[in-house]
Amino acid sequence: MTLLRNSDAVVAEPENAGHSETLMAMETREAPDVVARLLAANHDSAAALGDRLRDVPPDVVVTCARGSSDHAATYGKYLIETFVGVPVSSAALSVASIFAAPVVTRRALAIGISQSGRSPDLLASAAAQQAGGAHLVALVNDEESPLAAAADTLLALHAGPERSVAATKSCIAAMAGLAQLVAHWSKDRALADAVEALPELLRRAVALDWGAAVAPLGSVERLFVIGRGYGFGIAGEAALKLKETCSIQAEPFSSAEVRHGPMAIVGPGFPVIGFANSDVAGDDVRAVAALFAERGATALVANAGDESGPLPALAAHPAIEPILMLASFYGLAEQLARHRGLDPDSPPHLSKVTRTQ
């Protein structure tokens, strides 16, 4: 097995080493304080919602989100399905926004997730779910937004202004908010304790240096990002950030799905990033990374509990570890973008609020 070690690569100094700090870097470092505010401010609302969901259990949960928020929703899907057992589906926003088709969502919980709370297709989908009978929960940063105003239960993200186009602290906040809700809903003590510990763990996670990956990824044009279980949504978010900030054609896969057609293109030198929790899903990520490494691929794996590797990662509750890995990854994406001569705060052709119909 030839997984990349710290000694296998020399990290190049970013070309603009004397740069003033980017918004992306600053906002990533704000994540621990954001999550601390969120957990304190939303405790009573999340607890009350958890009580309601136990008293009147929904038959299904439908999430309404795009982009980074949709990756947070995928993370929430695994939490809800494993801790509570209620199936979770991602709404096809076009059903409401383009086709104006009604939906029947009696005995459903709808969760809208957004930084801005203003994208027309998201609002149309959330409204359709609500009109069909669903209880609408909004995880939104802008408390003056239409999504916040429409919500039956508002769980504000409390991230403050997010000026970098590449969302970081708001995505982490959405994941933390979902973990807090599921902890109250499930009454799982271990998860609740892990959520309580999240702000301090995040302080350690954002300080971890993933710079050893900058040189091997410095000139790549495409790569795979692998996760499974709680880590699958984080793989999607990491791939999106590599596209947005680094102009890399990064594609996320489950470690199970990648064993089918996609693995045919993985050969010598092909770069792979893996997010491996300290659970059976993480074991599978490690196994597929080892398989790719045997083929000569450049396999960079964040192993929860291994703080000495090129992608150091903290050990925690397996359901929380992906949030910590994502906080560390954002630092890598910011460094890598600068190394490639790009501005991670202002990706070309993108704006902060995407008003898709």
Side-chain angles (χ1 to χ4, degrees):
M1 181 169 172
T2 57
L3 299 183
L4 188 71
R5 301 178 301 273
N6 276 324
S7 58
D8 293 326
V10 176
V11 181
E13 187 73 13
E15 292 175 6
N16 54 343
H19 75 295
S20 59
E21 191 172 40
T22 64
L23 294 170
M24 184 179 181
M26 289 188 288
E27 290 174 353
T28 297
R29 275 207 321 279
E30 290 174 19
D33 290 335
V34 167
V35 170
R37 285 197 301 270
L38 176 151
L39 296 180
N42 292 347
H43 178 274
D44 291 349
S45 296
L49 180 57
D51 291 342
R52 181 185 190 278
L53 294 172
R54 284 193 308 280
D55 291 342
V56 186
D59 292 332
V60 65
V61 176
V62 180
T63 59
C64 304
R66 284 207 190 277
S68 293
S69 295
D70 197 35
H71 299 140
T74 298
Y75 168 74
K77 168 187 173 68
Y78 280 91
L79 286 179
I80 293 169
E81 292 190 352
T82 57
F83 282 91
V84 185
V86 177
V88 181
S89 176
S90 175
L93 304 189
S94 298
V95 169
S97 65
I98 293 179
F99 297 104
V103 295
V104 179
T105 50
R106 289 185 294 273
R107 292 183 60 84
L109 176 70
I111 303 178
I113 308 173
S114 176
Q115 198 281 133
S116 71
R118 297 178 185 277
S119 294
D121 56 353
L122 169 67
L123 294 171
S125 184
Q129 296 293 328
Q130 199 173 33
H135 182 94
L136 176 62
V137 177
L139 286 157
V140 60
N141 195 34
D142 185 348
E143 296 181 55
E144 304 301 319
S145 66
L147 179 61
D152 297 303
T153 299
L154 172 61
L155 299 176
L157 298 183
H158 296 282
E162 190 171 54
R163 293 176 292 162
S164 176
V165 170
T168 54
K169 60 180 179 176
S170 64
C171 184
I172 289 173
M175 293 176 181
L178 288 163
Q180 181 185 40
L181 171 57
V182 173
H184 283 294
W185 185 359
S186 66
K187 287 293 188 182
D188 186 283
R189 187 68 253 169
L191 179 60
D193 290 344
V195 171
E196 252 184 66
L198 192 49
E200 187 53 40
L201 288 169
L202 279 168
R203 293 185 210 289
R204 294 173 56 198
V206 297
L208 293 176
D209 183 10
W210 283 24
V214 170
L217 300 179
S219 60
V220 304
E221 295 182 358
R222 58 179 182 164
L223 59 76
F224 285 173
V225 186
I226 311 298
R228 193 167 187 186
Y230 303 124
F232 181 54
I234 280 70
E237 170 63 5
L240 174 63
K241 284 297 175 287
L242 290 171
K243 293 185 186 84
E244 282 181 331
T245 65
C246 301
S247 296
I248 296 173
Q249 186 182 347
E251 300 302 329
F253 290 101
S254 159
S255 55
E257 185 64 30
V258 78
R259 286 182 165 92
H260 296 276
M263 77 182 306
I265 68 172
V266 178
F270 191 94
V272 177
I273 296 175
F275 294 93
N277 306 349
S278 59
D279 60 8
V280 291
D283 291 342
D284 196 56
V285 173
R286 282 180 280 273
V288 80
L291 176 63
F292 288 157
E294 288 172 4
R295 296 181 175 192
T298 300
L300 293 152
V301 180
N303 281 298
D306 180 5
E307 298 184 41
S308 62
L311 306 184
L314 302 176
H317 190 297
I320 295 302
E321 288 167 345
I323 302 179
L324 304 176
M325 292 181 191
L326 181 61
S328 302
F329 165 81
Y330 282 148
L332 167 61
E334 191 270 348
Q335 289 183 60
L336 184 58
R338 291 189 289 104
H339 179 83
R340 293 165 71 95
L342 301 170
D343 179 2
D345 291 334
S346 301
H349 317 302
L350 297 178
S351 62
K352 191 62 184 170
V353 181
T354 305
R355 297 187 181 277
T356 43
Q357 299 294 328

